Amino acid sequence: MGGPLLIAVPVLLLAIAAGVAGVLVLNTRARSRDLAQTVAAARRHGTAFGVLALLCGAGAFAALAAGPTRGIDRGVLFAVAPLLAAAAHASVICAGELTWPRPRGQVRTARLSRRRTRDVVPRWLRRTCLAAATGLGAGLTAGALLADPDGRHLTGLGTAGPFPGAFYGAPVLAAALLAAAATLAALHLSTHRAAVVGAEPETDARLRRTSTHRALRVTAAAALFTLGGLCFFGGNAGHAVSSSSYKIGDEPWQHDLLPWP
């Protein structure tokens, strides 16, 4: 009963959040005769989809962590859960950008300006994402090179696992690419969407920075969390096979650090 309950609760929360977000979107459509409300409408729209994105990400993580494996190794599901949750989160952010409030009426104005993604992404967050991506790539590469041919164990004076070789690393890499694609799409949409009618350039820039922050923070956290998990299990396996309790010439001992096959 625990597994279905853990899945049903996030689904119910998602349904409620989706309804709330839909109502807010319908009530916050910008109108040309009411320019004073456009900034507030845009903020409510962004906040609604930001909350919905977090709930979708949490629901995806819960479904992967507690759902039936159907022949899939549970360790693989745990390994890809954070990044797939980040991909779901970024996809909802994309939906929010595609439904961003636009001006209505017969008379419309537009401000022409050249924008780049790096101009609306906080520098510290951009550097954090770059460091997380670099560390994750290095960790996956090192794990693939050091692991046994089965891609899930490490052999030294003995054999220990799980170890983040290709068996775990390949699904993690696929999930990372999916999360990166969804996040880059969200950043592109946030950068090049129409400006909020009636908003000062500084206000519009703050709204864009907020949107890019929402898109990047979860992806960066997921990448760092995954990297931490890879380092933890890889370090445990490395410590086990290099332990002084092993003696050269003994038969290799199989040590499973977690009850995963």
Side-chain angles (χ1 to χ4, degrees):
M1 295 296 293
L5 181 61
L6 289 176
I7 298 175
V9 172
V11 170
L12 178 61
L13 292 176
L14 290 179
I16 296 174
V20 174
V23 172
L24 289 177
V25 169
L26 292 176
N27 291 334
T28 58
R29 297 178 66 182
R31 296 171 295 180
S32 58
R33 70 174 184 271
D34 195 17
L35 298 181
Q37 300 298 322
T38 55
V39 174
R43 288 175 176 171
R44 288 196 297 269
H45 181 92
T47 300
F49 272 91
V51 172
L52 180 60
L54 289 174
L55 289 174
C56 282
F61 184 87
L64 289 169
T69 60
R70 297 180 182 272
I72 302 176
D73 188 278
R74 184 168 294 275
V76 173
L77 289 179
F78 275 108
V80 301
L83 290 169
L84 289 183
H89 175 273
S91 298
V92 177
I93 295 295
C94 288
E97 295 299 325
L98 291 173
T99 57
W100 192 260
R102 288 173 171 79
R104 301 173 60 193
Q106 297 180 350
V107 180
R108 305 182 186 184
T109 61
R111 182 173 61 251
L112 299 179
S113 60
R114 184 179 180 181
R115 290 184 295 269
R116 299 175 299 176
T117 301
R118 63 181 301 174
D119 297 329
V120 296
V121 176
R123 180 179 300 178
W124 69 269
L125 189 54
R126 186 172 67 246
R127 292 178 176 177
T128 300
C129 289
L130 181 60
T134 302
L136 185 59
L140 293 175
T141 301
L145 293 176
L146 295 174
D148 290 350
D150 65 357
R152 58 195 304 181
H153 295 96
L154 179 67
T155 298
L157 298 178
T159 299
F163 183 78
F167 181 83
Y168 300 105
V172 169
L173 178 60
L177 292 176
L178 183 62
T183 303
L184 289 175
L187 294 180
H188 177 80
L189 293 172
S190 300
T191 302
H192 299 289
R193 73 188 181 210
V196 177
V197 177
E200 296 295 329
E202 295 80 7
T203 301
D204 185 70
R206 284 197 296 270
L207 290 173
R208 295 181 194 277
R209 283 195 294 271
T210 301
S211 297
T212 57
H213 188 279
R214 288 193 184 104
L216 279 177
R217 63 190 178 189
V218 172
T219 301
L224 291 173
F225 184 83
T226 303
L227 177 60
L230 296 178
C231 292
F232 174 79
F233 290 112
N236 273 348
H239 174 74
V241 300
S242 62
S243 174
S244 60
S245 61
Y246 293 106
K247 296 181 180 180
I248 298 177
D250 290 348
E251 291 293 328
W253 297 341
Q254 180 70 34
H255 287 264
D256 287 323
L257 304 178
L258 289 177
W260 298 336

